[in-house]
Amino acid sequence: MIEIDLSGKTGLVVGIADRHSIAWGIAQMLDKAGAKLAVTYQNERLEPKVRDLAAALSDPLILPLDVTDDAQIEAVFKELSEKFGRLDILIHAVAFAPREDLMRDFVETSRQGYAIAQDVSAYSLAALANGARPLMKAAGGGSIVTLTYYGAEKVVAGYNVMGVAKAALEASVRYLAHDLGPDNIRVNAISAGPMKTLAARGVPGFMDMLKYHEEKAPLRRRVDMEELAGTALFLCSPLGTGITGEVIHVDAGYNILGM
Ligand code: NAP
């Protein structure tokens, strides 16, 4: 029997807002596999919720992190360096665009809304990867996993400015994989089928997207959290060491369809 054992490994999970968050599903899976985790909360409003959830993990480090703040990014990696001395896993599951820009056709996106969507949803991966690099080098390598969506590849009506940010995120995965590969650091994205989370509810027409997905996807269903988290676990495990720079679709096959 092959078992995935991450004991002795350490991970940073960014993007937990509540119990529906994809980041939370992944954190639970990595914790079960034995990894020692640090989790972050975006602001004071979310801190109690993240602390409540994290109580179910084995002795996690809980840190503040707004990914648009360079000083906070630096502080997180300083803390990880002191407490863990190494980093094996980074899960990046954050995205944001101002609601008014998400509600508009892409052609009407504001300059500021475009910049915010790119900063939070795409640039933050590079910023975190750069911070993680020395600690991953100290561990002899590492695995970075981000979350993306099919709206990066094809037009998904309503996904708008976020689709363009996800396209930048997927390109970033490839450039980061190229830069960090010589340090044995792998960078991959999971392209997830639609999940009912806080962020998804902000996408106009999300419930219709969900219904359409269930009707059309080859497996005729949505994916669940276990399937997403299981893929993240695989990518962070010794089973995934040959894979980098990839966008892996965990979407019940939806992306293979033409019409
Ligand atoms: P979620 O639970 O709302 O998670 C999104 C997270 O991003 C939240 O924790 C949010 O915190 C955080 N965030 C936003 N701005 C931030 C900032 N400046 N600094 C730090 N954190 C920030 O939704 P989710 O669906 O799990 O999203 C996780 C990832 O999966 C995202 O990249 C999303 O695009 C991707 N994804 C989701 C789906 C889906 O259908 N749900 C499909 C494909 C890909 P706040 O709540 O405080 O803003």
CSV table of all heavy atoms in Angstrom, one decimal, residues 70-103:
chain,number,residue,atom,x,y,z
A,70,ASP,N,3.9,44.3,1.3
A,70,ASP,CA,5.2,43.7,1.3
A,70,ASP,C,5.8,43.5,2.7
A,70,ASP,O,6.4,42.5,2.9
A,70,ASP,CB,6.2,44.6,0.5
A,70,ASP,CG,5.9,44.5,-1.0
A,70,ASP,OD1,5.4,43.5,-1.5
A,70,ASP,OD2,6.2,45.5,-1.7
A,71,ALA,N,5.5,44.4,3.6
A,71,ALA,CA,6.0,44.3,5.0
A,71,ALA,C,5.4,43.0,5.6
A,71,ALA,O,6.1,42.3,6.3
A,71,ALA,CB,5.7,45.5,5.8
A,72,GLN,N,4.2,42.8,5.4
A,72,GLN,CA,3.5,41.6,6.0
A,72,GLN,C,4.1,40.3,5.4
A,72,GLN,O,4.3,39.3,6.1
A,72,GLN,CB,2.0,41.6,5.8
A,72,GLN,CG,1.4,42.6,6.8
A,72,GLN,CD,-0.2,42.4,6.9
A,72,GLN,OE1,-0.7,41.3,6.7
A,72,GLN,NE2,-0.9,43.5,7.1
A,73,ILE,N,4.3,40.4,4.1
A,73,ILE,CA,4.9,39.2,3.4
A,73,ILE,C,6.3,38.9,4.1
A,73,ILE,O,6.6,37.7,4.4
A,73,ILE,CB,5.0,39.4,1.9
A,73,ILE,CG1,3.6,39.4,1.3
A,73,ILE,CG2,5.9,38.3,1.3
A,73,ILE,CD1,3.6,39.7,-0.2
A,74,GLU,N,7.1,39.9,4.2
A,74,GLU,CA,8.4,39.8,4.8
A,74,GLU,C,8.3,39.2,6.2
A,74,GLU,O,9.1,38.3,6.6
A,74,GLU,CB,9.1,41.1,4.8
A,74,GLU,CG,10.6,41.0,4.9
A,74,GLU,CD,11.2,42.4,4.9
A,74,GLU,OE1,10.8,43.3,4.1
A,74,GLU,OE2,12.1,42.7,5.8
A,75,ALA,N,7.3,39.7,7.0
A,75,ALA,CA,7.2,39.3,8.4
A,75,ALA,C,6.8,37.8,8.4
A,75,ALA,O,7.3,37.1,9.3
A,75,ALA,CB,6.1,40.2,9.1
A,76,VAL,N,5.9,37.4,7.5
A,76,VAL,CA,5.5,36.0,7.5
A,76,VAL,C,6.7,35.1,7.3
A,76,VAL,O,6.9,34.1,8.0
A,76,VAL,CB,4.4,35.7,6.4
A,76,VAL,CG1,4.3,34.2,6.1
A,76,VAL,CG2,3.1,36.2,6.9
A,77,PHE,N,7.6,35.4,6.3
A,77,PHE,CA,8.7,34.5,6.0
A,77,PHE,C,9.8,34.6,7.1
A,77,PHE,O,10.5,33.6,7.4
A,77,PHE,CB,9.2,34.7,4.6
A,77,PHE,CG,8.3,34.2,3.6
A,77,PHE,CD1,7.5,35.1,2.8
A,77,PHE,CD2,8.1,32.9,3.4
A,77,PHE,CE1,6.6,34.6,1.9
A,77,PHE,CE2,7.1,32.4,2.5
A,77,PHE,CZ,6.4,33.2,1.8
A,78,LYS,N,9.9,35.7,7.8
A,78,LYS,CA,10.8,35.9,8.9
A,78,LYS,C,10.4,34.9,10.0
A,78,LYS,O,11.2,34.2,10.6
A,78,LYS,CB,10.8,37.3,9.4
A,78,LYS,CG,11.9,37.6,10.4
A,78,LYS,CD,12.1,39.1,10.5
A,78,LYS,CE,13.1,39.4,11.6
A,78,LYS,NZ,12.5,39.4,13.0
A,79,GLU,N,9.1,35.0,10.3
A,79,GLU,CA,8.5,34.1,11.3
A,79,GLU,C,8.7,32.6,11.0
A,79,GLU,O,9.0,31.8,11.8
A,79,GLU,CB,7.0,34.4,11.5
A,79,GLU,CG,6.3,33.8,12.6
A,79,GLU,CD,6.5,34.5,14.0
A,79,GLU,OE1,7.1,35.6,14.0
A,79,GLU,OE2,6.0,33.9,15.0
A,80,LEU,N,8.4,32.3,9.7
A,80,LEU,CA,8.6,30.9,9.3
A,80,LEU,C,10.0,30.4,9.4
A,80,LEU,O,10.3,29.3,9.8
A,80,LEU,CB,8.1,30.7,7.9
A,80,LEU,CG,6.6,30.8,7.6
A,80,LEU,CD1,6.3,30.6,6.1
A,80,LEU,CD2,5.9,29.7,8.4
A,81,SER,N,10.9,31.4,9.1
A,81,SER,CA,12.4,31.0,9.2
A,81,SER,C,12.7,30.7,10.7
A,81,SER,O,13.4,29.8,11.0
A,81,SER,CB,13.2,32.2,8.7
A,81,SER,OG,14.5,32.1,9.0
A,82,GLU,N,12.2,31.6,11.6
A,82,GLU,CA,12.5,31.4,13.0
A,82,GLU,C,11.8,30.1,13.6
A,82,GLU,O,12.5,29.4,14.3
A,82,GLU,CB,12.1,32.6,13.8
A,82,GLU,CG,13.0,33.8,13.6
A,82,GLU,CD,12.4,35.1,14.1
A,82,GLU,OE1,11.4,35.1,14.8
A,82,GLU,OE2,13.0,36.2,13.7
A,83,LYS,N,10.6,29.9,13.2
A,83,LYS,CA,9.8,28.8,13.8
A,83,LYS,C,10.0,27.5,13.1
A,83,LYS,O,10.1,26.4,13.7
A,83,LYS,CB,8.3,29.1,13.8
A,83,LYS,CG,8.0,30.4,14.6
A,83,LYS,CD,7.8,30.0,16.1
A,83,LYS,CE,7.9,31.2,17.1
A,83,LYS,NZ,7.0,32.4,16.8
A,84,PHE,N,10.1,27.5,11.8
A,84,PHE,CA,10.2,26.2,11.0
A,84,PHE,C,11.7,26.0,10.5
A,84,PHE,O,12.1,24.8,10.4
A,84,PHE,CB,9.3,26.2,9.8
A,84,PHE,CG,7.8,26.1,10.1
A,84,PHE,CD1,6.9,26.2,9.1
A,84,PHE,CD2,7.4,25.9,11.4
A,84,PHE,CE1,5.5,26.1,9.3
A,84,PHE,CE2,6.0,25.9,11.7
A,84,PHE,CZ,5.1,26.0,10.7
A,85,GLY,N,12.3,27.1,10.1
A,85,GLY,CA,13.7,27.0,9.6
A,85,GLY,C,13.7,26.4,8.2
A,85,GLY,O,14.8,26.3,7.6
A,86,ARG,N,12.6,26.1,7.6
A,86,ARG,CA,12.5,25.5,6.2
A,86,ARG,C,11.1,25.6,5.8
A,86,ARG,O,10.2,25.9,6.6
A,86,ARG,CB,12.9,24.0,6.2
A,86,ARG,CG,12.0,23.2,7.1
A,86,ARG,CD,12.4,21.7,7.1
A,86,ARG,NE,12.0,21.0,6.0
A,86,ARG,CZ,12.6,19.9,5.5
A,86,ARG,NH1,13.6,19.4,6.3
A,86,ARG,NH2,12.2,19.3,4.5
A,87,LEU,N,10.8,25.5,4.5
A,87,LEU,CA,9.5,25.4,4.0
A,87,LEU,C,9.4,24.5,2.8
A,87,LEU,O,10.2,24.6,1.9
A,87,LEU,CB,9.0,26.8,3.5
A,87,LEU,CG,7.5,26.9,3.2
A,87,LEU,CD1,6.6,26.7,4.5
A,87,LEU,CD2,7.2,28.3,2.6
A,88,ASP,N,8.5,23.5,2.9
A,88,ASP,CA,8.4,22.5,1.8
A,88,ASP,C,7.2,22.8,0.9
A,88,ASP,O,7.2,22.4,-0.3
A,88,ASP,CB,8.2,21.1,2.4
A,88,ASP,CG,9.3,20.8,3.3
A,88,ASP,OD1,10.3,20.2,2.8
A,88,ASP,OD2,9.2,21.1,4.6
A,89,ILE,N,6.2,23.5,1.4
A,89,ILE,CA,4.9,23.6,0.7
A,89,ILE,C,4.4,25.0,0.8
A,89,ILE,O,4.4,25.6,1.9
A,89,ILE,CB,3.8,22.6,1.3
A,89,ILE,CG1,4.3,21.2,1.0
A,89,ILE,CG2,2.5,22.9,0.7
A,89,ILE,CD1,3.5,20.2,1.9
A,90,LEU,N,3.9,25.6,-0.3
A,90,LEU,CA,3.2,26.9,-0.3
A,90,LEU,C,1.9,26.7,-1.1
A,90,LEU,O,1.9,26.3,-2.2
A,90,LEU,CB,4.0,28.0,-0.9
A,90,LEU,CG,3.3,29.3,-1.2
A,90,LEU,CD1,2.8,30.0,0.0
A,90,LEU,CD2,4.3,30.3,-1.9
A,91,ILE,N,0.8,27.0,-0.4
A,91,ILE,CA,-0.5,26.9,-1.1
A,91,ILE,C,-1.0,28.4,-1.2
A,91,ILE,O,-1.2,29.1,-0.2
A,91,ILE,CB,-1.6,26.1,-0.3
A,91,ILE,CG1,-1.1,24.7,0.0
A,91,ILE,CG2,-2.9,26.1,-1.0
A,91,ILE,CD1,-0.8,23.8,-1.2
A,92,HIS,N,-1.2,28.8,-2.4
A,92,HIS,CA,-1.7,30.2,-2.7
A,92,HIS,C,-3.1,30.0,-3.2
A,92,HIS,O,-3.3,29.5,-4.3
A,92,HIS,CB,-0.8,30.7,-3.8
A,92,HIS,CG,-1.2,32.1,-4.3
A,92,HIS,ND1,-2.1,32.2,-5.4
A,92,HIS,CD2,-0.8,33.3,-4.0
A,92,HIS,CE1,-2.3,33.4,-5.7
A,92,HIS,NE2,-1.5,34.2,-4.9
A,93,ALA,N,-4.1,30.5,-2.4
A,93,ALA,CA,-5.5,30.3,-2.8
A,93,ALA,C,-6.2,31.6,-2.6
A,93,ALA,O,-7.2,31.7,-1.8
A,93,ALA,CB,-6.2,29.2,-2.1
A,94,VAL,N,-5.7,32.7,-3.2
A,94,VAL,CA,-6.3,34.0,-3.0
A,94,VAL,C,-6.6,34.7,-4.3
A,94,VAL,O,-5.9,34.5,-5.3
A,94,VAL,CB,-5.4,35.0,-2.2
A,94,VAL,CG1,-5.1,34.5,-0.8
A,94,VAL,CG2,-4.1,35.2,-2.9
A,95,ALA,N,-7.7,35.4,-4.3
A,95,ALA,CA,-8.1,36.2,-5.5
A,95,ALA,C,-9.1,37.2,-5.1
A,95,ALA,O,-9.8,37.0,-4.1
A,95,ALA,CB,-8.8,35.2,-6.5
A,96,PHE,N,-9.0,38.4,-5.8
A,96,PHE,CA,-9.9,39.4,-5.5
A,96,PHE,C,-10.0,40.4,-6.6
A,96,PHE,O,-9.0,40.7,-7.3
A,96,PHE,CB,-9.5,40.2,-4.2
A,96,PHE,CG,-10.4,41.4,-3.9
A,96,PHE,CD1,-11.6,41.2,-3.3
A,96,PHE,CD2,-10.1,42.7,-4.3
A,96,PHE,CE1,-12.5,42.2,-3.0
A,96,PHE,CE2,-10.9,43.7,-4.0
A,96,PHE,CZ,-12.1,43.5,-3.4
A,97,ALA,N,-11.2,40.9,-6.9
A,97,ALA,CA,-11.4,42.0,-7.8
A,97,ALA,C,-12.6,42.8,-7.2
A,97,ALA,O,-13.5,42.2,-6.7
A,97,ALA,CB,-11.8,41.5,-9.2
A,98,PRO,N,-12.5,44.1,-7.4
A,98,PRO,CA,-13.6,45.0,-6.8
A,98,PRO,C,-14.9,44.5,-7.5
A,98,PRO,O,-15.0,44.3,-8.7
A,98,PRO,CB,-13.2,46.4,-7.3
A,98,PRO,CG,-11.7,46.3,-7.5
A,98,PRO,CD,-11.4,45.0,-8.0
A,99,ARG,N,-16.0,44.5,-6.7
A,99,ARG,CA,-17.3,44.0,-7.2
A,99,ARG,C,-17.8,44.8,-8.4
A,99,ARG,O,-18.2,44.2,-9.3
A,99,ARG,CB,-18.3,44.1,-6.0
A,99,ARG,CG,-19.6,43.6,-6.4
A,99,ARG,CD,-20.4,42.9,-5.3
A,99,ARG,NE,-21.7,42.4,-5.7
A,99,ARG,CZ,-21.9,41.3,-6.4
A,99,ARG,NH1,-20.9,40.5,-6.6
A,99,ARG,NH2,-23.1,41.0,-6.8
A,100,GLU,N,-17.6,46.1,-8.3
A,100,GLU,CA,-18.1,46.9,-9.5
A,100,GLU,C,-17.4,46.6,-10.8
A,100,GLU,O,-18.0,46.6,-11.8
A,100,GLU,CB,-18.0,48.4,-9.2
A,100,GLU,CG,-16.7,49.0,-8.8
A,100,GLU,CD,-16.3,48.9,-7.3
A,100,GLU,OE1,-16.9,48.0,-6.6
A,100,GLU,OE2,-15.4,49.6,-6.9
A,101,ASP,N,-16.1,46.2,-10.7
A,101,ASP,CA,-15.4,45.8,-11.9
A,101,ASP,C,-15.8,44.4,-12.4
A,101,ASP,O,-15.9,44.1,-13.6
A,101,ASP,CB,-13.9,45.9,-11.7
A,101,ASP,CG,-13.4,47.3,-11.7
A,101,ASP,OD1,-13.4,47.9,-12.8
A,101,ASP,OD2,-13.2,47.8,-10.6
A,102,LEU,N,-16.1,43.5,-11.4
A,102,LEU,CA,-16.5,42.1,-11.8
A,102,LEU,C,-17.9,42.2,-12.5
A,102,LEU,O,-18.2,41.4,-13.3
A,102,LEU,CB,-16.7,41.3,-10.5
A,102,LEU,CG,-15.5,40.4,-10.1
A,102,LEU,CD1,-15.8,39.6,-8.8
A,102,LEU,CD2,-15.2,39.4,-11.3
A,103,MET,N,-18.7,43.2,-12.0
A,103,MET,CA,-20.1,43.3,-12.6
A,103,MET,C,-20.1,43.9,-14.0
A,103,MET,O,-21.1,43.8,-14.7
A,103,MET,CB,-20.9,44.1,-11.6
A,103,MET,CG,-21.1,43.6,-10.2
A,103,MET,SD,-21.8,42.0,-10.1
A,103,MET,CE,-23.5,42.3,-10.6
